């Protein structure tokens, strides 16, 4: 039996409680050991590796993911990204201390296939390989993500209206802070920003030479470093010990200094979301995760800000009765439920991306860059267990 076959057997045969306990243990191991084990468990299969073209530049590393990209030269891969109908800019999770840019290949390939078969789109994923803690502390990884996004939009000149950002857990945090630092950096200052005219602020963002992307998908994002309100009674693999690792290894602060972090100020934001967030936001949350209430509170504030101004960010919330990061860490969903759950949510994800793409092009009064010949109904608008705000 091959190594790939053994990994697939483990994913499909090990009971969820054992997987949860194993993750809880691995994620709090010394960083080098944790990284080795996570990388081995999530290593792309030989077939999946054919979709991956690794790229390294001076200030960031990552991978372009698309059909047959592994055999392409770098210039051919760059051309495929530049000419894509949609680019998904992905930042992986892993508590800032583990993980890699190709750890979710099952989901990535499924998205690309659905975008092609359901919507007729040629899409590519650009996944970032940022430096991990404790060697790389805050805000180093944020700067890497910003540099990669600027490479995509400035060097490759991919229009922002053809980009959707995705990030899970720590990756969601990096997505949020990348957008804030690019488009509204004053909101990270201690005194906050000027909320007097958010509509005008959006029209003339702080980063004049880059537009805000078409959409943002956050999966179980870390939206506050303050863990006092976390639901520790939940049966989640995120533990107090892991939270302490993030605090000390990545943020490099004491408990008394958490309030001084820019992320803490961002978590208290009540308005100005329109200045840095795309107009289309999807949030995936687990009803059994410790950060559930923080995530839903953020979504509620964004919605209220939208209602106050009569325009702004449209929020879709997709929830299921699972633990943290269930949409990407698919092994924590019971095997008998996986097919139905992920068929549903992968369709919703791709429908959301296409809707964001279409609406952003329309709002910009630009000539459509794609013709959607096979668009299916927006399942995210009718799913009974999900909320569209």
């Amino acid at each position: 039996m091959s190594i790939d076959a053994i990994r697939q057997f483990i994913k499909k045969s090990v009971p969820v409680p054992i997987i949860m306990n194993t993750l809880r243990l691995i994620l709090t191991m010394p960083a080098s050991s944790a990284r080795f084990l996570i990388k081995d468990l999530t290593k792309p299969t030989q077939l999946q590796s054919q979709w991956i073209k690794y790229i390294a530049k001076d200030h960031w590393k990552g991978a372009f993911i698309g059909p047959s990209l592994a055999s392409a030269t770098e210039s051919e891969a760059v051309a495929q990204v530049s000419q894509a109908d949609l680019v998904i800019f992905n930042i992986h999770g892993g508590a800032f201390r583990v993980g890699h840019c190709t750890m979710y290949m099952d989901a990535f390939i499924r998205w690309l296939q659905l975008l092609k078969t359901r919507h007729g789109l040629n899409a590519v994923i650009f996944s970032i390989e940022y430096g991990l803690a404790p060697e790389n502390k805050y805000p180093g990884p944020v700067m890497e993500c910003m540099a990669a996004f600027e490479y995509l939009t400035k060097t490759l000149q991919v229009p922002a209206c053809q980009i959707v950002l995705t990030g899970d857990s720590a990756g969601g945090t990096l997505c949020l802070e990348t957008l804030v630092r690019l488009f509204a950096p004053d909101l990270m200052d201690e005194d906050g920003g000027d909320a007097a005219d958010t509509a005008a602020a959006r029209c003339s963002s702080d980063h004049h030479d880059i537009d805000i992307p078409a959409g943002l998908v956050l999966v179980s994002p870390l939206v506050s470093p303050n863990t006092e309100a976390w639901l520790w009674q939940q049966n989640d693999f995120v533990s107090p010990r892991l939270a302490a690792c993030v605090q000390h290894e990545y943020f490099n602060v004491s408990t008394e200094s958490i309030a001084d972090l820019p992320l803490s100020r961002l978590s208290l934001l009540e308005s100005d979301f329109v200045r840095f967030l795309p107009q289309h936001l999807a949030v995936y949350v687990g009803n059994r995760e410790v950060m559930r209430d923080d995530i839903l509170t953020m979504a509620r504030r964004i919605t209220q800000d939208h209602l106050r101004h009569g325009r702004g960010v449209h929020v879709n919330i997709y929830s299921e009765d699972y633990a943290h990061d269930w949409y990407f860490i698919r092994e924590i969903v019971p095997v008998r439920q996986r097919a139905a759950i992920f068929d549903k949510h992968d369709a919703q994800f791709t429908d959301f991306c296409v809707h964001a793409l279409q609406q952003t092009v329309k709002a910009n009064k630009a000539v459509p860059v794609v013709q959607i010949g096979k668009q299916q109904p927006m399942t995210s608008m009718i799913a009974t267990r999900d909320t569209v705000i």
Side-chain angles (χ1 to χ4, degrees), residues 98-246:
V98 302
H100 54 92
C101 64
T102 57
M103 64 192 296
Y104 301 130
M105 288 301 296
D106 288 343
F108 292 167
I109 292 174
R110 182 62 174 155
W111 295 347
L112 296 177
Q113 290 172 334
L114 286 173
L115 285 164
K116 184 64 174 179
T117 57
R118 287 170 61 89
H119 302 286
L121 291 183
N122 293 314
V124 174
I125 294 170
F126 179 18
S127 190
I128 311 307
E129 184 89 353
Y130 57 88
L132 300 174
E135 297 88 346
N136 298 274
K137 298 185 184 299
Y138 178 83
V142 183
M143 302 304 159
E144 294 178 61
C145 294
M146 290 174 62
F149 186 79
E150 291 182 326
Y151 170 83
L152 181 63
T153 52
K154 290 184 177 181
T155 304
L156 301 192
Q157 296 187 325
V158 174
C161 64
Q162 292 174 234
I163 301 171
V164 172
L165 271 68
T166 63
D168 66 298
S169 194
T173 311
L174 291 169
C175 280
L176 287 170
E177 190 159 345
T178 294
L179 290 170
V180 174
R181 286 180 180 267
L182 283 173
F183 300 108
D186 57 293
L187 295 180
M188 305 298 283
D189 296 338
E190 188 170 358
D191 295 332
D194 182 7
D197 190 354
T198 58
R202 183 185 179 90
C203 293
S204 58
S205 68
D206 301 83
H207 216 85
H208 300 284
D209 51 351
I210 302 178
D211 291 330
I212 293 176
L216 171 63
V217 179
L218 299 174
V219 178
S220 298
L222 170 66
V223 297
S224 172
N226 190 337
T227 63
E228 292 181 0
W230 288 14
L231 308 174
W232 293 119
Q233 73 275 14
Q234 298 276 45
N235 183 26
D236 200 350
F237 62 83
V238 176
S239 65
R241 185 176 175 185
L242 180 60
C245 286
V246 171

Side-chain angles (χ1 to χ4, degrees), residues 17-67:
I18 294 178
I19 292 175
M20 294 278 286
N21 288 331
T22 302
L23 283 173
R24 188 180 295 113
L25 174 63
I26 291 176
L27 289 173
T28 55
M29 286 180 174
S32 58
S33 301
R35 288 176 204 167
F36 174 83
L37 291 171
I38 292 295
K39 188 167 187 176
D40 189 64
L41 289 170
T42 59
K43 182 179 179 181
T45 66
Q46 289 184 340
L47 288 176
Q48 290 172 341
S49 296
Q50 297 174 12
W51 293 65
I52 304 167
K53 183 67 176 181
Y54 292 100
I55 303 291
K57 298 296 181 181
D58 290 340
H59 302 293
W60 59 267
K61 297 178 181 178
F64 298 147
I65 300 168

Side-chain angles (χ1 to χ4, degrees), residues 218-220 282-289 292-293 295-296 299 316-323 325-327 333 341-342 344-345 348 380 383-389:
L218 299 174
V219 178
S220 298
V283 179
Y284 287 78
V285 61
N287 292 330
R288 300 181 185 179
E289 66 174 295
R292 181 195 66 198
D293 288 358
I295 296 168
L296 293 177
N316 291 33
I317 299 177
Y318 305 129
S319 63
E320 295 288 351
D321 291 328
Y322 305 121
D325 212 353
W326 59 269
Y327 184 49
V333 174
I341 286 292
F342 295 119
K344 165 188 165 184
H345 285 286
Q348 288 175 333
S380 60
T384 56
R385 298 183 69 182
D386 305 320
T387 304
V388 180
I389 301 180

